[in-house]
Amino acid sequence: MSIDHWGTSPGDLVSSALAAIETSLEELLAMDPIYWRTSQKKDYLAKVEKLQAQQAALTLRVLAASGDIAEETGDKDASAWMRAELLVDKGVARSQIKLAAGVAKYELVAAGLAEGVVSQEKARIITRALDRVEADPLATAEHLVLAEKLLVEYATQFTPKELRIIGKRILVEVDPARFEEAEAKALLAEEERAQQKTALRVWDNGDGTVGFEGVLPTSIGMRFKKQVEAWAQPRKQQLVEKGAPLPPWERLMGQGFARLIETIDPNALPRHGGDATVVNVVISLEELRKELGTATLGFDETNGTTITAAEARRMACNATIIPWVLGGDSEVLDMGRASRVFVPIQRKALRLQQKCCQAEGCDMPPEWCDAHHFKAWAAGGKTDLKDGVLLCPHHHRLAHNPAYVHERLPDGTVRFTRRP
């Protein structure tokens, strides 16, 4: 057993220090922060942020010196022991050990952690960036030293996300004359690879929903995200203003994506199969007249899927849909045409007249509404301004839902009532 200069076992010092930490934590946990002063909460959060970085520095030092633990377990590192004793996933444990080795290589990063000015997350970002610098054939030892110095300094000024962006182009910061052109070439290569990775897969879940997953180049993906958010945000804002509980953001984004698809101008789409890109809905006249009828989305059940007649009637209000109504022996009785749907000038006139969704108590702006035939087309309704009414997506669905009836009030608004 080794003895320090004061005649005390280092093991005893470690145990005493850990016991002191445990005692302090127990005292803090016994307190209820609800009774703390604001200044105490701020002081706690600031100091703990620093303490977490220092704790990470010590943990990484221990992991960097954990070779003797690996010898006991017979593994190449201490990850097997961490999995068995600490129930840490082996991948996570090895990632920590790798970080420990990385931090041990870079003195300024290790010092920043020990001082509490570089968090563990930022240390991981910095070491990865420095490893890339070290592997760059154009970078010198001097570039590596300057990059480490800059990144540790930036760690005290920027968030991890911002630091990650800076880390990707740190060589340009260090030596712009040498690396700007190389960065441009690397970005071009990355964009070309992104084009090769671009993919989209769509499938029918068989439960009334369609699933999809895909990969887009960053420039397109960010535009896609912004466009969907633009449709999701108004719905969220209206719920907030009305004091209604907010659904999960993922659902709002899904609804926003659905609205984005429904409002695409078919005239702006490329030709597909010799015709403008449209969706066909096939329904018999008998089914169309039923409250609980069914229709086929697509030309037939083999190449399409079954939906309710109510949904077909709702979809038929949009210009992107061609409804095919069949009589006996599949005879085509009528099909969508220019006068079947509200043309753009009519929609503009409806927006000017009606200002918002016409459902009683709804104030959804006209830009987010559908033009709906108040008297259903199947019942002889006409595509004119007198019969047109603006309804938001929610009330548009209610208008085609057989569980509800609706009537036009003297002031022009529409009142929905659930059937008894």
Side-chain angles (χ1 to χ4, degrees):
M1 181 181 293
S2 59
I3 304 296
D4 68 4
H5 296 297
W6 304 99
T8 307
S9 166
D12 293 339
L13 290 176
V14 171
S15 298
S16 298
L18 287 173
I21 293 172
E22 288 177 345
T23 300
S24 297
L25 285 174
E26 288 170 359
E27 290 174 354
L28 286 169
L29 286 168
M31 305 175 189
D32 190 340
I34 198 170
Y35 299 111
W36 293 8
R37 294 190 299 274
T38 303
S39 60
Q40 289 177 315
K41 295 175 185 176
K42 290 165 66 178
D43 187 45
Y44 169 83
L45 292 173
K47 287 184 177 177
V48 163
E49 187 74 14
K50 180 179 179 180
L51 288 171
Q52 285 176 333
Q54 292 176 312
Q55 177 265 325
L58 182 55
T59 299
L60 293 174
R61 284 184 192 174
V62 173
L63 288 174
S66 61
D68 52 341
I69 298 177
E71 288 178 11
E72 273 193 7
T73 62
D75 201 35
K76 65 179 182 180
D77 54 42
S79 59
W81 178 84
M82 293 173 72
R83 184 184 183 282
E85 297 296 324
L86 308 181
L87 302 180
V88 176
D89 286 335
K90 203 168 185 178
V92 175
R94 282 191 170 161
S95 175
Q96 283 289 88
I97 292 169
K98 182 179 178 181
L99 176 59
V103 169
K105 284 170 52 180
Y106 303 113
E107 292 183 4
L108 293 181
V109 180
L113 268 170
E115 292 172 21
V117 296
V118 175
S119 68
Q120 178 172 306
E121 184 179 5
K122 291 180 181 179
R124 192 184 302 275
I125 292 168
I126 294 173
T127 55
R128 285 176 178 172
L130 294 177
D131 286 344
R132 288 194 296 270
V133 171
E134 190 175 31
D136 193 309
L138 297 179
T140 65
E142 184 181 358
H143 288 137
L144 184 62
V145 171
L146 290 173
E148 182 181 5
K149 183 179 179 181
L150 273 177
L151 286 171
V152 171
E153 182 180 337
Y154 286 150
T156 64
Q157 304 168 25
F158 298 102
T159 66
K161 183 177 181 180
E162 293 167 336
L163 188 64
R164 187 177 290 108
I165 295 170
I166 295 171
K168 286 183 176 180
R169 60 188 317 270
I170 190 61
L171 280 173
V172 178
E173 293 266 342
V174 170
D175 190 345
R178 174 177 289 193
F179 292 103
E180 274 186 348
E181 184 178 348
E183 182 191 39
K185 289 180 179 178
L187 283 174
L188 180 61
E190 184 179 83
E191 289 173 357
E192 290 174 350
R193 287 194 300 272
Q195 290 293 336
Q196 297 300 316
K197 291 179 181 178
T198 299
L200 177 65
R201 188 168 72 93
V202 183
W203 63 89
D204 187 347
N205 288 322
D207 61 357
T209 65
V210 167
F212 59 92
E213 64 180 6
V215 177
L216 295 172
T218 300
S219 58
I220 301 298
M222 294 308 295
R223 284 169 58 195
F224 169 71
K225 180 174 180 288
K226 291 294 183 184
Q227 289 175 10
V228 173
E229 287 175 343
W231 285 100
Q233 200 64 37
R235 173 69 173 154
K236 177 183 177 182
Q237 187 60 38
Q238 288 194 343
L239 291 172
V240 170
E241 290 172 357
K242 293 178 180 179
L246 283 177
W249 179 242
E250 291 81 2
R251 188 187 306 165
L252 285 173
M253 287 288 282
Q255 293 169 346
F257 181 50
R259 289 295 294 150
L260 174 64
I261 296 298
E262 285 191 326
T263 53
I264 292 175
D265 180 4
N267 295 320
L269 294 173
R271 311 295 285 185
H272 179 62
D275 199 356
T277 304
V278 295
V279 175
N280 296 276
V281 176
V282 181
I283 187 170
S284 70
L285 183 60
E286 181 184 359
E287 290 293 314
L288 181 63
R289 287 172 173 167
K290 288 181 182 178
E291 290 184 353
L292 296 175
T294 60
T296 300
L297 184 60
F299 280 110
D300 53 58
E301 292 182 357
T302 303
N303 300 302
T305 187
T306 302
I307 59 174
T308 64
E311 181 68 2
R313 286 190 289 267
R314 186 192 71 81
M315 293 175 69
C317 292
N318 295 320
T320 53
I321 305 299
I322 290 182
W324 299 78
V325 182
L326 308 180
D329 300 323
S330 296
E331 175 192 5
V332 177
L333 298 181
D334 203 350
M335 58 174 280
R337 51 194 181 275
S339 61
R340 167 65 186 84
V341 297
F342 288 96
V343 296
I345 190 64
Q346 288 177 306
R347 288 183 57 85
K348 290 177 181 177
L350 287 172
R351 290 178 184 179
L352 185 64
Q353 288 176 345
Q354 301 182 9
K355 312 298 183 187
C356 65
C357 173
Q358 294 300 284
E360 189 177 27
C362 185
D363 58 358
M364 176 77 81
E367 291 79 9
W368 314 116
C369 294
D370 299 324
H372 169 72
H373 294 77
F374 184 77
K375 184 178 181 181
W377 172 73
K382 297 180 180 179
T383 307
D384 55 31
L385 294 181
K386 292 181 182 177
D387 197 45
V389 59
L390 292 181
L391 294 176
C392 69
H394 170 72
H395 287 107
H396 195 182
R397 288 188 180 279
L398 288 190
H400 292 286
N401 189 333
Y404 289 84
V405 294
H406 56 285
E407 59 177 327
R408 207 168 205 164
L409 302 180
D411 63 357
T413 58
V414 180
R415 174 175 292 170
F416 289 87
T417 309
R418 191 172 185 86
R419 292 183 187 273

